[in-house]
Amino acid sequence: MPMHVMSCFRLPKGVTNKLFSAVSNFWWSINGQTRGMHWLAWKKLCRHKRDGGLGFRVLEDFNTALLRKQLWRLLDNPESLFSRVFKGRYYRNATPLDPIKSYSPSYGWQSIVSARPLVNKGLIKRVGSGISISVWDDPWIPASRLRPTKGNGINFYPYLRVRDLMTPEKSTWNLPLLNKLFDTLDVSLIMGIPTSHFDKPDSMGWFFIKTGRYTVKSGYMVAQENPDDDGMVPFGPDIRCLQAQAWKISCTQKLQHFMWQILTGCISVRARLRARGMQIDPQCMRCGMAAETINHMVFECPPALQVWALSPIPTAINRFPIEGLFTNMAYLFWNLPNDDRMRMYPWLIWFIWKARNDKVFSNGDWDPNEIISHAAAEASAWTMAQTRQTSVRTISTAMVDTIRSGDRCQVDGSWKETDPRGGLG
């Protein structure tokens, strides 16, 4: 992506659409030349993995987050050359956040000020002297959500400043006045804000990060809080927890992605292809007893049932496997016994899928015991590789710590003194 350009200028809508199209076609294409079938809307793929997507970036929101970084620089470093040039040209007696109309503004300035809505979502006023902070209008309360104070009745002081809530002698909070103006929750939050005996100037901070300094990652997350424009409230079961769990399974990333495809419906079984408009017979080619849905292919088809029955995975009538795909996957994710043999189920599903493809395209038949043996061997090999990798990482860390400490270390089977600077003596 053109990161440098996006951090300085707002990309036109036509450019972002072309970039979207290129990435989407590459993702769904089989060989990089054909278009491929787009199983899921790009908007859903751009959701975070914990929300059922794949975490692709929405370029408009990422562009805004990068431009917000430039706006933060104008606010955070007012004495820099970058800030003084823009201040002298566009906001001499104001701040970059004030909606001031400029005569013939540059495209760079228009791009930067287009990030103002994102700034207003997370900008919080940090209390110093309190002179420049409005009690009722500015967000300065450190609550769970960014907001000003809540009044305790009719507001008789519309132009009240935070400084007016402090005692003039010791610069501490005036508790009787706070109890008079605000509710109990806000009084406790205000009393937790530290005050200064010196005239420390008020400052601004980013609410969504502990350090108070804006980062592009946090800005993008804020921009992605409400990605749906239709405002529709989803009904029915929420499967996002299942889709998020698919990325936490102890297996290869290829199998994690395959589990996500199963839960999202991005598998080219015959029923799904028929639903996408392809004129084919939806019946299962392995058994011919029912429509080939994803659940039928993985759990209900007789060859698949034989695999599950002969595998170490415990089965139970009316519990697993059953007609519900999400129920079956939830059983595998969270209800299996604590046994190392249970971790082979991603490979079982994968080889069931491979056996189905071999039957459809080559008319080959796999023995259920062969599928189980392949799955067990692959799972065991992956587990051993992970164990070796962890051991090598631990040994490497220990050796680095030993060398840095200046102690003795073993080289070529003999112990030698080490130089405290990191070399061998």
Side-chain angles (χ1 to χ4, degrees):
M1 290 190 296
M3 298 285 292
H4 177 72
V5 176
M6 292 173 65
S7 63
C8 300
F9 303 102
R10 171 73 64 182
L11 293 185
K13 189 72 173 177
V15 174
T16 57
N17 288 339
K18 289 181 180 179
L19 291 173
F20 277 144
S21 178
V23 176
S24 180
N25 289 335
F26 173 79
W27 176 254
W28 294 114
S29 176
I30 299 175
N31 53 13
Q33 303 295 329
T34 59
R35 183 175 180 270
M37 181 173 291
H38 294 222
W39 288 102
L40 206 62
W42 180 255
K43 190 176 184 180
K44 295 181 179 179
L45 292 181
C46 290
R47 294 174 181 169
H48 196 275
K49 287 185 176 180
R50 63 173 175 266
D51 293 326
L54 290 178
F56 287 109
R57 286 174 177 170
V58 180
L59 289 187
E60 289 93 342
D61 293 338
F62 188 62
N63 195 181
T64 302
L66 289 171
L67 293 173
R68 168 65 181 86
K69 184 70 174 180
Q70 305 300 333
L71 192 55
W72 178 264
R73 289 178 59 197
L74 295 176
L75 296 169
D76 195 42
N77 300 310
E79 299 303 322
S80 64
L81 178 61
F82 173 71
S83 300
R84 284 184 288 154
V85 168
F86 277 94
K87 182 177 179 63
R89 177 67 175 84
Y90 298 111
Y91 57 96
R92 291 185 180 181
N93 300 315
T95 67
L97 298 180
D98 295 331
I100 300 175
K101 293 184 179 181
S102 303
Y103 174 75
S104 185
S106 66
Y107 187 70
W109 175 249
Q110 295 180 47
S111 301
I112 291 176
V113 298
S114 67
R116 281 174 180 164
L118 178 60
V119 175
N120 295 328
K121 286 184 178 182
L123 196 63
I124 186 172
K125 297 292 185 70
R126 304 293 186 185
V127 178
S129 62
I131 297 175
S132 63
I133 302 178
S134 172
V135 172
W136 309 109
D137 298 327
D138 293 330
W140 63 283
I141 296 296
S144 58
R145 299 188 65 181
L146 198 62
R147 63 174 178 85
T149 53
K150 297 178 181 178
N152 197 16
I154 301 176
N155 179 12
F156 294 104
Y157 309 96
Y159 305 107
L160 196 65
R161 297 287 170 173
V162 173
R163 179 65 180 178
D164 301 329
L165 304 177
M166 304 178 187
T167 57
E169 298 85 6
K170 299 182 179 181
S171 295
T172 57
W173 295 110
N174 189 341
L175 185 57
L177 181 60
L178 297 180
N179 290 325
K180 179 181 178 181
L181 295 176
F182 312 117
D183 57 20
T184 305
L185 176 60
D186 278 6
V187 170
S188 60
L189 293 174
I190 294 172
M191 291 298 296
I193 300 176
T195 58
S196 176
H197 295 283
F198 307 98
D199 288 335
K200 182 181 178 181
D202 300 322
S203 60
M204 291 178 290
W206 184 247
F207 178 75
F208 298 99
I209 197 168
K210 292 183 179 179
T211 60
R213 298 184 62 84
Y214 175 83
T215 60
V216 176
K217 180 180 179 180
S218 63
Y220 180 75
M221 291 178 64
V222 173
Q224 282 289 290
E225 281 184 351
N226 298 309
D228 296 328
D229 297 329
D230 50 11
M232 296 293 291
V233 178
F235 292 94
D238 189 359
I239 64 170
R240 287 179 297 178
C241 59
L242 284 171
Q243 294 168 334
Q245 183 64 26
W247 304 106
K248 302 176 183 178
I249 303 172
S250 297
C251 60
T252 63
Q253 291 186 354
K254 180 181 72 174
L255 293 185
Q256 289 176 348
H257 180 244
F258 186 66
M259 296 297 104
W260 177 86
Q261 287 180 296
I262 288 176
L263 292 166
T264 317
C266 301
I267 300 293
S268 56
V269 293
R270 300 179 71 84
R272 289 286 294 149
L273 293 173
R274 182 63 179 265
R276 296 300 299 270
M278 297 185 67
Q279 300 301 318
I280 61 173
D281 185 6
Q283 292 296 111
C284 177
M285 292 186 64
R286 301 184 74 185
C287 65
M289 298 170 58
E292 189 189 38
T293 62
I294 296 177
N295 188 69
H296 175 85
M297 182 270 296
V298 177
F299 297 107
E300 293 184 302
C301 192
L305 281 174
Q306 285 184 319
V307 173
W308 292 111
L310 296 174
S311 71
I313 307 298
T315 59
I317 299 177
N318 297 329
R319 187 179 183 190
F320 177 82
I322 59 175
E323 295 181 359
L325 173 63
F326 302 135
T327 304
N328 290 329
M329 297 302 294
Y331 176 83
L332 295 175
F333 286 167
W334 295 304
N335 292 15
L336 292 180
N338 187 14
D339 189 343
D340 291 341
R341 297 179 303 167
M342 303 297 108
R343 299 177 183 177
M344 65 181 295
Y345 70 86
W347 286 270
L348 279 176
I349 296 176
W350 173 251
F351 281 104
I352 289 173
W353 169 245
K354 292 191 68 175
R356 176 265 181 193
N357 291 337
D358 198 22
K359 177 64 176 179
V360 171
F361 298 108
S362 303
N363 198 26
D365 290 318
W366 288 37
D367 185 80
N369 291 311
E370 183 182 0
I371 294 177
I372 296 172
S373 62
H374 278 306
E378 292 288 336
S380 178
W382 183 84
T383 303
M384 292 178 61
Q386 297 300 308
T387 304
R388 287 197 301 268
Q389 184 178 1
T390 303
S391 301
V392 171
R393 189 183 298 114
T394 303
I395 294 173
S396 300
T397 303
M399 290 182 64
V400 170
D401 293 340
T402 302
I403 293 174
R404 287 178 178 176
S405 65
D407 295 333
R408 295 166 57 86
C409 66
Q410 191 174 16
V411 179
D412 297 332
S414 61
W415 289 93
K416 296 184 180 181
E417 294 290 340
T418 57
D419 189 339
R421 293 170 295 179
L424 293 176

